[in-house]
């Protein structure tokens, strides 16, 4: 009993600490103390790092969605609806969530490993010793960059995914190109787009927060870097899937 | 002037600093001796406010820094240099960028002036030609010298060095200690070095203190320490 209680206390303390960490970040952003040259460097690195794999996964998802939905929709004689199904699935759910997973694996993991290595090699302490707050110097630019990069990647993923569906729909299912495009455009409304797009900001926040915080908490040498990196990735996955359920519910209540 | 008074720190149930008190005069070179695990690094980090004590006082120029918030401490630390045990250079920056970092952060010097200053210091620590190298491309001794350059680039009046000779062979150990000695005498720095390298420490120190189990067990000038009855010290002298 006291064992569970102790764990519960530890958990609460951990969450509190993580919140203070985030508050520190927010403080610098509000004060406008954002190092834009660092942000640009990060945007570049994060973008380059994940763009290819995001395109690949999105194109494959779009294509597979089209293949599967064609099988079903064709039975009802409404194969042109494939376009709508692909576009809506991608825009409302799949692109935001899948891109976040890829982003976690590529960018989140790298951030934790980078900051974790700096932590165990005293580079974070050295930053403080030189009179610079490591949160301002290292965390703020990374988090701001994530916040800008992930939504961009999600839009890219939606476009590429729809194109993947188009290829299958037009060249394999025999839907005419103009029908496919028309169906796609008429299906995706602003609400559909924004109900998916809004989430990506939440995911970007969660992923970058977890990654930076776990990096800062890393201890135990190179072994620790590995452990904390895996932990950050697992935690990000969980937070993305679970929070997705709740925001989806909220968004549906307001936007339908 | 640095004054440490009854500094106490424990981690869990382990008491690392047990009400330790001593003073460092301006321009003095003090060495903190102690076996590995005796709390030298912990003590040194207290002196620059990287660790908060459980109780006790660290007074720098008449100001108790243990009471300051981190944001104020950041400002205080700009006027101090700290050489970390393994250098703690940024591994994503070149030697040049590492050495220039404090100047870029805290001064409004022009690019050209920064360059002059950094190249000067790098020459002083014998790293001429290594400006463009990354820390991973340097030997242990070079890394320490690069870190030393970064620690003194602000012309701070106070310098802390944690185990400057650890991991180096006897000749390199001797060289880096002599280098620190030369530089701090030239800059008239108040210097505190944590070390377990007794022989080299005795050569350059004005005064030394030996800590064990959180307390000072011997203190004095090199000559005084040589005549100390402490068994650990005697082992080295005989
Ligand atoms: N953050 C910490 N948490 C717990 N114990 C610590 C921490 N930092 C240092 N210690 C302990 O304090 C003691 C002194 O460490 P340290 O100052 O690094 O020794 P030294 O530098 O003399 O080799 C060691 O036993 C170490 O395990
Ligand atoms: Mg040490």
């Amino acid at each position: 009993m006291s064992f569970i209680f102790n764990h519960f206390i530890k958990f609460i303390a951990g969450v509190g600490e993580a919140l203070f960490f985030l508050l520190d970040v927010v403080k610098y952003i509000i004060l406008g103390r954002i190092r834009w040259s660092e942000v640009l460097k990060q945007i570049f690195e994060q973008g380059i790092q994940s763009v290819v794999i995001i395109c690949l996964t999105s194109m494959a998802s779009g294509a597979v969605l089209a293949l599967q939905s064609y099988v079903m929709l064709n039975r009802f004689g409404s194969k042109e609806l494939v376009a709508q199904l692909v576009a809506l699935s991608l825009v409302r759910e799949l692109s935001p969530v899948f891109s976040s997973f890829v982003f976690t694996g590529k960018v989140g993991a790298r951030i934790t490993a980078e900051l974790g290595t700096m932590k165990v090699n005293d580079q974070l302490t050295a930053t403080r010793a030189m009179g610079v707050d490591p949160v301002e110097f290292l965390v703020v630019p990374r988090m701001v960059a994530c916040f800008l990069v992930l939504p961009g990647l999600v839009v890219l993923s939606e476009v590429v995914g729809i194109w993947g569906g188009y290829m299958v729909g037009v060249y394999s299912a025999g839907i005419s190109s103009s029908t496919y495009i028309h169906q796609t455009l008429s299906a995706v409304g602003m609400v559909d787009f924004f109900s998916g797009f809004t989430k990506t900001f939440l995911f970007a926040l969660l992923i970058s927060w977890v990654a930076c915080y776990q990096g800062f908490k890393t201890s135990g040498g190179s072994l620790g870097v590995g452990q904390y990196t895996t932990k950050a990735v697992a935690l990000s996955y969980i937070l993305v899937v679970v929070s997705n359920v709740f925001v989806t519910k909220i968004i549906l209540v307001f936007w339908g | 002037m640095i004054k440490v008074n009854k500094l106490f720190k424990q981690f869990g149930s382990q008491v690392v600093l047990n009400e330790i008190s001593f003073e460092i005069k301006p321009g003095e070179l003090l060495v903190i001796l102690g076996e590995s695990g005796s709390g030298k690094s912990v003590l040194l980090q207290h002196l620059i406010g990287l660790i908060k004590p459980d109780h006790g006082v660290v007074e720098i120029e008449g100001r108790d820094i243990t009471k300051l918030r981190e944001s104020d401490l950041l400002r205080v630390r700009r006027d101090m240099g700290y050489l970390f045990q393994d250098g703690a250079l940024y591994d994503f920056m070149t030697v040049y960028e590492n050495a220039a970092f404090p100047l870029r952060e805290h001064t409004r010097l022009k690019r050209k002036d920064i360059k002059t200053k950094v190249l000067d210091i790098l020459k002083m620590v014998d790293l001429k030609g290594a400006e463009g190298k990354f820390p991973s491309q340097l030997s242990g001794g070079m890394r320490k010298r690069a870190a030393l350059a970064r620690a003194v680039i602000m012309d701070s009046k106070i310098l802390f060095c944690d185990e400057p000779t650890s991991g180096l062979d006897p000749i390199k150990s001797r060289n880096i200690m002599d280098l620190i000695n030369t530089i701090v005498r030239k800059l008239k720095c108040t210097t505190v070095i944590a070390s377990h390298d007794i022989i080299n420490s005795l050569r350059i120190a004005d005064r030394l203190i030996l800590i064990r189990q959180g307390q000072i067990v011997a203190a004095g000038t090199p000559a005084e320490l040589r005549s100390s009855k402490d068994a650990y010290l005697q082992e080295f002298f005989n």
Side-chain angles (χ1 to χ4, degrees):
Chain A
M1 194 58 213
S2 80
F3 173 78
I4 295 173
F5 183 72
N6 281 344
H7 268 259
F8 182 70
I9 293 290
K10 257 204 192 130
F11 173 76
I12 297 294
V15 171
E17 219 177 282
L19 277 172
F20 272 111
F21 180 82
L22 181 64
L23 226 61
D24 229 18
V25 176
V26 172
K27 180 190 79 188
Y28 280 116
I29 294 175
I30 290 175
L31 290 175
R33 282 168 62 179
I34 302 172
R35 297 164 179 241
W36 287 106
S37 62
E38 293 292 322
V39 174
L40 277 179
K41 226 186 290 171
Q42 286 294 325
I43 287 179
F44 195 69
E45 280 178 22
Q46 295 178 5
I48 295 281
Q49 209 187 5
S50 26
V51 72
V52 173
I53 176 161
I54 288 225
C55 284
L56 255 166
T57 43
S58 315
M59 177 135 64
S61 321
V64 141
L65 267 176
L67 286 170
Q68 290 284 16
S69 57
Y70 172 75
V71 174
M72 266 172 291
L73 291 168
N74 201 29
R75 288 183 196 157
F76 303 107
S78 44
K79 64 176 182 187
E80 54 300 330
L81 289 184
V82 165
Q84 297 205 15
L85 195 139
V86 168
L88 284 179
S89 319
L90 282 172
V91 169
R92 294 187 72 118
E93 281 299 334
L94 295 186
S95 280
V97 173
F98 279 9
S99 305
S100 295
F101 284 167
V102 172
F103 195 71
T104 300
K106 290 288 273 186
V107 175
R110 200 194 61 181
I111 290 178
T112 309
E114 242 173 32
L115 295 180
T117 307
M118 294 182 71
K119 169 77 187 298
V120 300
N121 291 338
D122 283 335
Q123 291 173 50
L124 297 185
T125 317
T127 308
R128 289 168 62 211
M130 287 186 285
V132 174
D133 188 345
V135 170
E136 183 194 355
F137 176 47
L138 299 163
V139 175
V140 172
R142 280 172 174 73
M143 287 191 66
V144 170
C146 285
F147 213 70
L148 299 175
V149 169
L150 184 58
L153 287 172
V154 166
V155 172
L156 176 73
S157 147
E158 288 165 359
V159 173
V160 175
I162 287 173
W163 185 54
Y166 172 90
M167 300 297 271
V168 169
V170 172
Y171 295 108
S172 148
I175 305 169
S176 84
S177 171
S178 62
T179 312
Y180 198 99
I181 293 171
H182 175 76
Q183 286 284 339
T184 301
L185 291 179
S186 67
V188 182
M190 271 300 156
V191 168
D192 301 303
F193 174 74
F194 278 106
S195 75
F197 192 63
T198 322
K199 292 182 203 175
T200 61
F201 290 98
L202 175 71
F203 297 159
L205 173 71
L206 290 173
I207 294 167
S208 60
W209 178 21
V210 167
C212 292
Y213 180 67
Q214 293 298 332
F216 264 53
K217 279 194 47 145
T218 299
S219 62
S222 55
L223 206 65
V225 173
Q227 284 167 349
Y228 278 82
T229 304
T230 342
K231 193 171 154 195
V233 170
L235 197 56
S236 292
Y237 281 164
I238 294 170
L239 286 175
V240 166
V241 243
V242 173
S243 70
N244 185 37
V245 176
F246 292 100
V247 280
T248 303
K249 176 67 193 162
I250 293 171
I251 286 171
L252 286 177
V253 166
F254 285 105
W255 279 340
Chain B
M1 174 80 141
I2 303 173
K3 253 191 209 163
V4 176
N5 195 15
K6 296 203 166 160
L7 202 62
F8 183 93
K9 180 72 183 180
Q10 67 185 93
F11 292 109
S13 60
Q14 182 196 6
V15 175
V16 179
L17 302 177
N18 194 359
E19 307 220 312
I20 227 170
S21 305
F22 61 96
E23 287 182 14
I24 307 153
K25 292 192 266 306
E28 190 178 32
L29 198 168
L30 178 88
V31 174
I32 301 169
L33 291 173
E35 288 161 79
S36 149
S38 58
K40 301 181 296 294
S41 301
V42 170
L43 176 55
L44 218 49
Q45 296 202 18
H46 274 88
L47 300 185
I48 189 170
L50 289 168
I51 304 181
K52 288 246 186 276
D54 295 327
H55 54 81
V57 172
V58 176
E59 223 178 81
I60 294 183
E61 313 295 345
R63 189 165 174 208
D64 180 6
I65 65 161
T66 62
K67 301 286 184 298
L68 297 181
R69 285 174 306 152
E70 177 72 11
S71 53
D72 296 320
L73 281 168
L74 287 176
R75 208 156 305 122
V76 170
R77 293 191 199 117
R78 291 178 190 183
D79 304 322
M80 307 175 181
Y82 196 109
L83 174 62
F84 280 81
Q85 184 160 348
D86 294 310
L89 296 165
Y90 291 124
D91 39 28
F92 55 90
M93 288 185 187
T94 61
V95 168
Y96 180 92
E97 290 167 329
N98 265 291
F101 180 77
L103 293 176
R104 288 180 177 161
E105 287 294 321
H106 302 311
T107 70
R108 295 189 182 282
L109 289 180
K110 289 204 202 68
R111 191 181 277 264
K112 194 174 88 252
D113 299 330
I114 289 183
K115 186 165 180 185
T116 316
K117 199 157 168 94
V118 170
L119 292 181
D120 263 5
I121 295 254
L122 287 180
K123 197 168 144 201
M124 194 148 76
V125 299
D126 201 15
L127 279 176
K128 208 170 158 222
E131 303 92 52
K133 289 213 163 82
F134 284 92
S136 59
Q137 300 168 308
L138 303 179
S139 70
M142 289 165 92
R143 264 205 291 277
K144 296 234 189 203
R145 280 181 277 139
L148 178 61
R150 185 176 73 174
V152 298
I153 193 112
M154 293 285 284
D155 296 324
S156 323
K157 283 289 155 246
I158 302 176
L159 177 69
F160 301 104
C161 305
D162 195 355
E163 306 264 10
T165 66
S166 73
L168 300 182
D169 63 46
I171 294 171
K172 289 218 173 84
S173 296
R174 193 190 168 95
N175 288 345
I176 188 106
M177 282 296 228
D178 287 346
L179 186 62
I180 292 174
N181 193 23
T182 315
I183 290 178
V184 300
R185 300 301 178 187
K186 196 156 139 195
L187 299 175
K188 299 192 172 41
C189 258
T190 307
T191 309
V192 186
I193 301 174
S195 181
H196 58 239
D197 181 345
I198 296 185
I199 303 304
N200 278 309
S201 299
L202 283 169
R203 286 202 354 245
I204 68 166
D206 294 324
R207 215 152 50 83
L208 307 92
I209 58 178
L210 172 66
I211 61 172
R212 186 180 302 137
Q213 285 167 350
Q215 288 180 317
I216 297 177
V217 292
T221 61
E224 285 165 350
L225 240 65
R226 274 178 203 280
S227 55
S228 153
K229 300 268 178 306
D230 189 82
Y232 172 71
L233 289 175
Q234 280 309 314
E235 229 178 281
F236 277 89
F237 302 138
N238 299 327

